[in-house]
Amino acid sequence: MSGDPAPKPPIPLEERYRSLLGMSKVLGAIRDPEELIAALGRNLRPLVHFDFLSLYLGDVLEDGPSWNVWRVDERSVVRLPEAVPLEETVEAWVVANGRPVSWPAADGEPHFPALEEALARHGVRSFRALPLATPNRPLGAMTFGCRQEGAWEGAEAGFLFVVADQVALAIDGAASFERL
């Protein structure tokens, strides 16, 4: 595997932003959270280059918080080691701090040794965990992994943030509708 940057999706960035807005309208109309998650995986593939994508959604129930892991892309290559307590996961850190995490870690970012070892073992060379939040509440985290180095730099990194914001709004809308 070379250190070459990941090939970009075949659609130019400006067109992907327009497609994302259209996808947001479609996702926003879906009221069933499980259907929304399945549609998300199908619709993001042409817009974002990734080898795996996961959503970690926290729900607040009457008896306390629970954590649901949805595997969006069935081609996932990394499973989180079961021995890692939830509070030590990158996703829990991202939700608690409202900040993204990348791997290889940038200066000043926290390290997650169990995750980093699993990513390296599976040949994942780029990883991003982004917060999913609305202005009113955190919802969870969205993670992308890619076997190519430098998959999301510059404008691509900015696009991932917009993707996460749109996904958070769609998930919040579906969850709100389900509660009604």
Side-chain angles (χ1 to χ4, degrees), residues 109-129:
E109 284 189 349
H111 289 271
F112 298 88
L115 172 68
E116 292 169 6
E117 188 275 324
L119 293 172
R121 186 175 63 250
H122 291 285
V124 175
R125 298 178 70 167
S126 298
F127 175 84
R128 286 282 162 102

Side-chain angles (χ1 to χ4, degrees), residues 12-93:
L13 188 60
E14 183 178 312
E15 193 173 323
R16 285 188 283 140
Y17 271 105
R18 280 194 294 274
S19 295
L20 179 62
L21 291 176
M23 183 186 85
S24 297
K25 289 178 184 177
V26 170
L27 295 178
I30 298 172
R31 300 298 177 217
D32 175 45
E34 289 190 34
E35 183 183 335
L36 174 69
I37 301 300
L40 178 63
R42 287 190 307 271
N43 286 284
L44 276 181
R45 176 66 61 193
L47 303 180
V48 178
H49 180 74
F50 60 88
D51 291 311
F52 78 87
L53 164 66
S54 296
L55 295 177
Y56 300 85
L57 303 176
D59 294 323
V60 178
L61 305 174
E62 289 180 15
D63 57 348
S66 67
W67 201 255
N68 299 302
V69 178
W70 301 85
R71 188 190 312 180
V72 175
D73 183 7
E74 288 303 317
R75 291 184 264 183
S76 289
V77 294
V78 175
R79 288 193 174 88
L80 182 68
E82 292 178 15
V84 176
L86 177 63
E87 62 275 4
E88 294 177 21
T89 65
V90 66
E91 295 82 10
W93 190 93

Side-chain angles (χ1 to χ4, degrees), residues 90-157:
V90 66
E91 295 82 10
W93 190 93
V94 166
V95 172
N97 292 281
R99 294 191 356 230
V101 169
S102 58
W103 184 79
D107 288 341
E109 284 189 349
H111 289 271
F112 298 88
L115 172 68
E116 292 169 6
E117 188 275 324
L119 293 172
R121 186 175 63 250
H122 291 285
V124 175
R125 298 178 70 167
S126 298
F127 175 84
R128 286 282 162 102
L130 301 159
L132 291 174
T134 67
N136 301 322
R137 66 185 180 128
L139 301 172
M142 181 176 203
T143 64
F144 291 92
C146 187
R147 289 184 169 155
Q148 295 179 328
E149 194 172 316
W152 314 287
E153 295 179 358
E156 291 296 322

